[in-house]
């Protein structure tokens, strides 16, 4: 859905005949391609079968033509609001809320310097950012349902002087996003059949078992390009040949950082010292564009378009903390993780990579150097409608590995690599896949009844810094300023007080129930 389509609908809505429509969440949305005028200069538009929005004069909205990813609102003076639905089905690797929040902020608002994420109730997390004279707030609100985790990431940003005054506008924009299911089902298009999985045993050395989609063609396994290196390339293709999923690469190279001594004897980057190519270390995010170009240019028939590259620093920091404990004095180890999206003709692609370097520092007159390689890589190329399933297939391939312990005794380095790929990469990649592509025809909404309304309530509370409390005697619900641990109401129902200690303000007050 392009910004021009929404802009046209907004203009038509503002020019419509007078008479505000009911703006409650229970009102049926306008017909597809139509709009409805609301009160106070607002208009509700229905640009897609599965989406309606509330807009006001001076604001615009944009969403990718694929009907996935963020819904971005832009307003006067650089004000911005973003809504990004996601859904991770039950049984798939569940990303941590912190990983989702940080990953989405890196993708949608990397220009801001972000603070530390903090919990907001039991099912939300948020953080604040700033950039020059502008401020921002990013939040992730989620709910675990029988079908999986459904959540919404959102961002609000504006110049510091106008942010507070825009809070009511932000709340209405975010709360006005309504999802109705997949555009595919609404248009009558067929949804991709749900995948079922079977056990696959690594065929070359019996190193491990994992899970792969039933009826897919699976090739690959452990290979040894030289006695000291193990690689684990696995390729999978769907029965119709349209979806390609992979983990590992049989053509991965071993690299060595060049030294002054090597340069003095004519050895330069691109040449070899033994089995290692001389090349300065390139972290995953810097290495990925070159890698994708090399590996997929011919497969994409000259129609390869590189998209965004994300440096997954938090994921790398976790790995580096683990490596620090095993680093000997005078030496170093480092891991970096990155993710890239791209287009391959009419298809979409996503690849995650980790690079690893280990070496010695310069000391006692000797020159230090490092040996490095791509420690793990995996991804997919698929039609947009099958992208989420392709993502889940590569996640399952990586995270369901069970190493053969007898084989592992003689191959501990490989075991560590397999486990690191499986444990650390899957959850973060799951968050990125869920943020970009609908899952099994879903547009990010759960089939569990009522979950969407509850998330919308939390959206508004979060942006307005308020919370919901209930007077159990009368059953009346109130919205109050957040920040207190306990809330109380007097017997007449005319006064509400908040405290940080579980003690009544006076004998006339009784405690209220705070909703999550």
């Amino acid at each position: 859905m392009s910004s021009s389509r929404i802009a046209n609908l907004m203009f038509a809505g503002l020019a419509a005949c007078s008479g505000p429509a009911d703006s409650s969440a229970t009102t049926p949305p306008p017909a597809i391609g139509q709009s409805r005028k609301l009160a106070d200069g607002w208009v509700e538009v229905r640009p897609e079968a599965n989406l309606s929005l509330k807009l006001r004069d001076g604001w615009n909205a944009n969403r990718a033509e694929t009907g996935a990813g963020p819904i971005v609102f832009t307003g006067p003076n650089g004000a911005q609001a973003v809504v990004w639905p996601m859904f991770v089905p039950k049984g798939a690797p569940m990303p941590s809320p912190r990983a989702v929040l940080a990953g989405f902020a890196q993708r949608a608002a990397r220009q801001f310097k972000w603070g530390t994420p903090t919990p907001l109730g039991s099912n939300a997390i948020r953080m604040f950012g700033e950039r020059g004279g502008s401020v921002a707030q990013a939040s992730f609100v989620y709910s675990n349902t029988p079908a999986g985790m459904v959540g919404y990431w959102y961002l609000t940003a504006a110049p510091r002087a106008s942010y507070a005054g825009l809070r009511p506008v932000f709340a209405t924009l975010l709360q006005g996003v309504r999802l109705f299911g997949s555009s595919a089902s609404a248009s009558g298009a067929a949804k991709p059949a749900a995948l079922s999985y079977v056990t696959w045993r690594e065929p070359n050395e019996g190193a491990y078992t994992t899970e792969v989609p039933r009826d897919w063609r699976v090739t690959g396994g452990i290979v040894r390009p030289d006695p000291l290196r193990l690689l684990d390339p696995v390729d999978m293709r769907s029965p119709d040949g349209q979806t390609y999923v992979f983990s590992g690469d049989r053509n991965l190279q071993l690299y060595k950082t060049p030294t002054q001594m090597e340069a003095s004897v004519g050895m330069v980057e691109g040449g070899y010292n033994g089995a290692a190519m001389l090349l300065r270390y390139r972290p995953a995010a810097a290495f990925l564009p070159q890698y994708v170009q090399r590996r997929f240019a011919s497969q994409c028939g000259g129609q390869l378009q590189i998209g965004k590259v994300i440096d997954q620093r938090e994921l790398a920091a976790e790995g580096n903390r683990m490596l620090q404990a095993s680093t000997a004095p005078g030496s170093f180890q480092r891991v970096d993780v990155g993710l890239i999206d791209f287009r391959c003709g009419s298809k979409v692609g996503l690849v995650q990579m980790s690079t690893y370097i280990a070496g010695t520092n310069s000391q006692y007159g000797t020159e230090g150097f490092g040996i490095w390689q791509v420690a793990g890589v995996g991804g997919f190329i698929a039609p947009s409608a099958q992208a989420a399933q392709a993502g889940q297939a590569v996640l399952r391939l990586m995270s369901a590995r069970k190493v053969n312990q007898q084989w592992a005794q003689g191959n501990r380095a490989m075991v560590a690599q397999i486990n690191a790929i499986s444990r650390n990469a899957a959850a973060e990649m799951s968050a990125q896949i869920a943020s970009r592509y609908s899952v099994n025809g879903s547009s990010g909404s759960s089939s569990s009844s009522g979950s969407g309304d509850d998330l919308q309530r939390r959206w508004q509370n979060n942006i307005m810094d308020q919370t919901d409390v209930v007077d159990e005697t009368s059953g009346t619900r109130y919205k109050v300023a957040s920040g207190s641990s306990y809330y109380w109401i007097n017997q007449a129902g005319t006064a509400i007080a908040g405290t940080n200690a579980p003690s009544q303000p006076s004998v006339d007050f009784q405690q209220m129930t705070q909703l999550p």
Side-chain angles (χ1 to χ4, degrees), residues 21 41 51 68 102 105 121 146 154 165 260 276 324 345 361 378 394 397 400 427 450 452 487:
L51 175 68
Y154 67 91
Q260 294 180 0
Q324 187 175 9
N361 299 314
V394 70
L397 175 67
Y487 292 90

Side-chain angles (χ1 to χ4, degrees), residues 4-5 24 64 148 190 225 250 279 321 340 351 446 496:
S4 60
R5 287 173 56 194
S24 70
R250 66 176 57 251
L279 191 68
R321 283 193 295 269
I340 189 171
V351 173
S446 170
I496 296 175

Side-chain angles (χ1 to χ4, degrees), residues 136-493:
Q137 177 178 318
S139 304
F140 178 55
V141 184
Y142 57 95
S143 178
N144 293 313
T145 75
M149 185 176 75
V150 58
Y152 291 87
W153 182 92
Y154 67 91
L155 167 82
T156 54
R160 189 183 304 273
S162 57
Y163 187 91
L166 285 171
R167 284 183 181 274
V169 176
F170 288 147
T172 303
L173 288 171
L174 300 179
Q175 192 178 22
V177 175
R178 300 169 65 186
L179 298 169
F180 306 101
S182 72
S183 56
S185 60
S187 64
K191 299 179 183 179
L195 297 179
S196 61
Y197 291 84
V198 296
T199 299
W200 182 79
R201 182 176 182 271
E202 190 279 314
N204 297 335
E205 298 186 11
Y208 61 87
T209 61
T210 188
E211 296 181 6
V212 300
R214 185 183 301 274
D215 299 326
W216 283 37
R217 182 171 177 265
V218 185
T219 59
I222 297 294
V223 294
R224 298 176 182 264
D226 59 66
L228 299 179
R229 296 180 66 218
L230 296 175
L231 299 177
D232 182 29
V234 178
D235 295 337
M236 305 194 301
R237 287 195 181 273
S238 61
D240 62 5
Q242 294 298 304
T243 299
Y244 169 69
V245 171
F246 77 97
S247 173
D249 185 339
R250 66 176 57 251
N251 296 313
L252 291 177
Q253 176 69 53
L254 184 68
Y255 301 100
K256 178 185 180 297
T257 59
T259 63
Q260 294 180 0
M261 179 178 293
E262 288 164 331
S264 68
V265 296
M267 302 175 69
V268 297
E269 284 193 305
Y272 283 81
N273 186 338
M277 176 186 289
L278 295 178
L279 191 68
R280 284 169 289 180
Y281 177 65
R282 297 181 184 176
F287 196 63
L288 267 168
Q290 170 189 335
Y291 174 83
V292 169
Q293 184 71 35
R294 176 188 64 78
R295 178 158 182 173
F296 298 118
S298 60
Q299 183 174 335
C300 297
Q303 300 182 53
L304 176 65
Q305 296 179 334
I306 300 296
K308 289 189 176 182
V309 181
I310 299 176
D311 186 357
Q312 297 176 297
R313 296 176 182 175
E314 287 201 359
L315 189 60
E318 179 183 349
N320 285 320
R321 283 193 295 269
M322 298 170 62
L323 288 174
Q324 187 175 9
S326 61
T327 303
S331 63
F332 64 89
Q333 298 183 83
R334 172 179 166 183
V335 64
D336 291 278
V337 186
L339 183 138
I340 189 171
D341 63 34
F342 58 95
R343 296 199 68 87
C344 180
S346 61
K347 298 180 180 181
V348 296
L350 192 74
V351 173
Q352 186 179 55
M353 172 184 287
S354 60
T355 52
Y356 169 76
I357 182 170
T360 59
N361 299 314
S362 298
Q363 55 182 336
Y364 308 120
T366 62
E367 191 174 2
F369 66 90
I371 300 294
W372 67 279
Q373 62 183 314
V374 173
V377 62
F380 65 85
I381 297 176
S384 295
Q386 281 81 47
Q389 285 193 344
Q392 294 306 320
V394 70
L395 291 172
R396 194 75 163 258
L397 175 67
M398 292 193 298
S399 61
R401 282 188 173 107
K402 296 180 180 178
V403 176
N404 178 337
Q405 294 303 312
Q406 185 175 5
W407 177 90
Q409 291 179 3
N411 297 274
R412 295 193 180 279
M414 185 61 181
V415 173
Q417 179 178 322
I418 291 174
N419 287 342
I421 296 170
S422 303
R423 180 179 59 251
N424 295 334
E428 181 70 14
M429 191 173 183
S430 179
Q432 298 296 334
I433 292 167
S435 73
R436 289 166 166 79
Y437 312 111
S438 60
V439 178
N440 293 336
S442 167
S443 285
S445 58
S446 170
S447 59
S448 179
S449 62
S451 61
D453 293 340
D454 187 55
L455 287 169
Q456 286 190 351
R457 173 182 66 82
R458 296 180 190 178
W459 285 353
Q460 184 177 20
N461 286 350
N462 197 355
I463 199 65
M464 298 296 289
D465 282 329
Q466 60 191 13
T467 190
D468 291 290
V469 292
V470 177
D471 179 1
E472 297 293 352
T473 302
S474 65
T476 304
R477 180 184 295 187
Y478 300 89
K479 286 189 180 292
V480 298
S482 60
S484 298
S485 301
Y486 302 90
Y487 292 90
W488 313 83
I489 189 169
N490 64 358
Q491 293 182 3

